[in-house]
Amino acid sequence: MTQPAIIPDRLMARIFMLGKVGALEGGGVCRLALSDEDWAGRDLVCNWMKELDLELMTDVIGNTWAIRKGIESGPPVMMGSHIDSVATGGLYDGALGVLAGLEVIEALNDAGIQTRRPVAIGFFTNEEGARFAPDMMGSGVAQGALDLDEMLAVTGIDGKTVGSELSRIGYAGAAPVKAITPHCFLEIHVEQGPVLETENTAIGAVTGVQGISWSEYVIEGTSNHAGTTPISMRNDAGLVAAQIACETRAIADEFGPPQVSTVGMLDVSPGLVNVVPERAVMTVDLRNTDDSLLKQAEMRLNQAAEEFAKAQGCSVTRRCLARFAPVEFDSALVDMIADEAAALGHSVKKMPSGAGHDAQMFAPSCPTAMIFVPSQGGLSHNIREYTAPAEILAGVDVLMRVVLNQAGVVPRTEQKP
Ligand code: GLV
Ligand code: MN
Ligand code: MN
């Protein structure tokens, strides 16, 4: 068999070309889900898929995938990730998983390799959840974990709905929910954390994804004059928000790793120097690999929020934006990734993922695993996100070997013209 060869320059050229879509000054991208930039990114990737003679499909939530036929029909070995980004995204988060999959398929074409099973590459709608919550929306709907109609009705940070934006950009496809039933699912992704770099390790064989809980708290008080209103007579929504933010951090400090907690958005109104705030809206992101600890963290924060609000004569309401239980990946597939990495001479570490990924939505329905490559300085969701081409190549070589193993290579003597 001619060994399929990944061509790093071709892959990097595509990463940089996609990185020009929604490019930000100083580097990085803003391709919020279903925005004009996401639309242009999707069109670019679809054109590349078509150039490889793949069969394209788009489903009702805008997930798009392309299939390279095998000599047998049936569920494909599927690779995939996302091309939407946070507003301050890097070039690699998500894009790597999609474009590396495309490179694997092009390398199979170049080497004239036929596989027994089909091989597919997909991108999934709104993985980030930065414009429309929850995250992993497209893969969640595709796998039946999220309700299609509920998700189409979700209103984003700019007041537009998923359904209307999906139609506007022409990606409300015909394929139904659960149209994707892979033989297995593989996602290569940048680690987005400091572990691999710090430990000088080339490949992460990802064992699973920690649980994720996103909440929005809205605190209502009374706006009043900052100079004349005695401290004891205020209903200061801003103060309550600050107390909730400190409690959020205290939970992570007291629970210890792997509990993490983040207040990523805090909006106080009317937002004036001499006015006691009447309203605060804030988001809280809590994560833990242990679901019972995550539930404890959620309960403690909710209770504390009620107490802080009551003490200030304010009200507080909580809305769940996203809730995903921890997920374990398929141990045989994780082992295979670790073994293939070692066989290629790479150092490898089995590790959980701190970030959410489309792969976690596939894990309940088919064997699933992920490959991590290092992130320089552990930076991600930051325009300075960077992984060197040689580090990317190491991960994509592992991906290729696992794909070949799962799809099965047809010997020349058995090949069909
Ligand atoms: C997705 O990027 C997440 O928030 O983990
Ligand atoms: Mn990602
Ligand atoms: Mn991300």
Side-chain angles (χ1 to χ4, degrees):
M1 173 182 89
T2 312
Q3 284 297 329
I6 300 298
I7 301 182
D9 287 352
R10 184 168 62 191
L11 170 57
M12 295 314 297
R14 285 199 179 117
I15 289 175
F16 295 135
M17 269 189 270
L18 182 55
K20 289 207 172 82
V21 182
L24 295 171
E25 215 164 298
V29 289
C30 176
R31 276 197 310 271
L32 290 171
L34 311 180
S35 62
D36 287 355
E37 293 76 20
D38 185 29
W39 181 2
R42 285 165 175 259
D43 286 355
L44 181 64
V45 173
C46 285
N47 283 338
W48 287 331
M49 286 170 163
K50 286 176 198 153
E51 281 167 17
L52 297 186
D53 273 342
L54 305 175
E55 184 195 338
L56 265 72
M57 290 176 83
T58 299
D59 72 7
V60 281
I61 192 79
N63 299 317
T64 299
W65 62 100
I67 302 174
R68 182 181 192 266
K69 287 196 173 69
I71 62 162
E72 294 164 10
S73 57
V77 170
M78 185 152 205
M79 300 170 284
S81 195
H82 60 100
I83 56 175
D84 69 313
S85 78
V86 296
T88 55
L91 261 53
Y92 305 89
D93 178 359
L96 173 62
V98 178
L99 301 178
L102 211 58
E103 176 58 34
V104 164
I105 288 181
E106 189 154 14
L108 291 176
N109 288 358
D110 291 348
I113 288 174
Q114 284 186 358
T115 53
R116 291 201 179 281
R117 295 196 165 88
V119 176
I121 173 67
F123 58 81
F124 304 101
T125 295
N126 185 33
E127 188 272 354
E128 293 288 7
R131 183 182 180 200
F132 303 101
D135 49 353
M136 281 79 74
M137 184 182 278
S139 45
V141 168
Q143 296 305 297
L146 297 171
D147 180 75
L148 172 66
D149 292 331
E150 268 177 45
M151 293 304 113
L152 291 175
V154 166
T155 303
I157 52 176
D158 49 12
K160 308 252 171 65
T161 64
V162 169
S164 64
E165 287 295 271
L166 202 52
S167 301
R168 183 183 71 84
I169 69 166
Y171 275 85
V177 163
K178 294 195 183 164
I180 320 171
T181 48
H183 168 73
C184 66
F185 185 85
L186 297 161
E187 181 172 0
I188 181 169
H189 205 284
V190 288
E191 182 205 336
Q192 308 184 271
V195 175
L196 291 176
E197 184 184 63
T198 307
E199 299 186 7
N200 201 19
T201 300
I203 301 291
V206 185
T207 52
V209 180
Q210 64 181 343
I212 302 174
S213 164
W214 285 359
S215 304
E216 178 191 75
Y217 289 91
V218 177
I219 303 116
E220 307 272 5
T222 313
S223 71
N224 211 335
H225 196 291
T228 60
T229 318
I231 288 291
S232 62
M233 295 177 69
R234 296 181 178 205
N235 311 123
D236 185 340
L239 174 66
V240 175
Q243 289 173 316
I244 294 174
C246 291
E247 182 70 8
T248 299
R249 175 54 183 258
I251 287 171
D253 287 340
E254 285 172 38
F255 281 39
Q259 179 67 52
V260 286
S261 64
T262 306
V263 173
M265 194 282 288
L266 174 53
D267 184 34
V268 175
S269 49
L272 299 168
V273 65
N274 54 355
V275 182
V276 176
E278 66 177 352
R279 182 179 160 89
V281 181
M282 64 195 295
T283 58
V284 175
D285 175 322
L286 298 170
R287 305 193 193 202
N288 201 311
T289 48
D290 180 331
D291 206 41
S292 63
L293 288 172
L294 187 56
K295 283 186 185 136
Q296 279 179 39
E298 289 169 313
M299 271 161 45
R300 172 166 154 181
L301 190 63
N302 287 339
Q303 202 177 341
E306 293 286 350
E307 284 164 15
F308 296 141
K310 196 167 166 213
Q312 299 306 322
C314 295
S315 69
V316 61
T317 50
R318 172 186 175 263
R319 185 164 69 97
C320 176
L321 299 178
R323 183 64 168 84
F324 298 107
V327 166
E328 277 187 33
F329 289 150
D330 183 76
S331 58
L333 214 45
V334 176
D335 284 347
M336 187 180 295
I337 288 168
D339 292 347
E340 294 292 0
L344 285 165
H346 300 307
S347 48
V348 57
K349 178 186 177 81
K350 289 187 181 172
M351 61 190 293
S353 168
H357 294 291
D358 292 308
Q360 75 191 78
M361 308 315 291
F362 283 86
S365 51
C366 67
T368 297
M370 292 185 73
I371 299 164
F372 273 174
V373 290
S375 293
Q376 189 178 81
L379 284 182
S380 188
H381 288 185
N382 182 320
I383 61 171
R384 288 188 287 135
E385 177 185 82
Y386 179 73
T387 302
E391 295 173 315
I392 287 176
L393 177 63
V396 184
D397 280 340
V398 174
L399 177 66
M400 170 63 95
R401 289 176 75 128
V402 179
V403 166
L404 288 176
N405 181 302
Q406 290 295 299
V409 175
V410 179
R412 288 261 173 236
T413 48
E414 274 183 53
Q415 284 200 3
K416 296 177 184 167

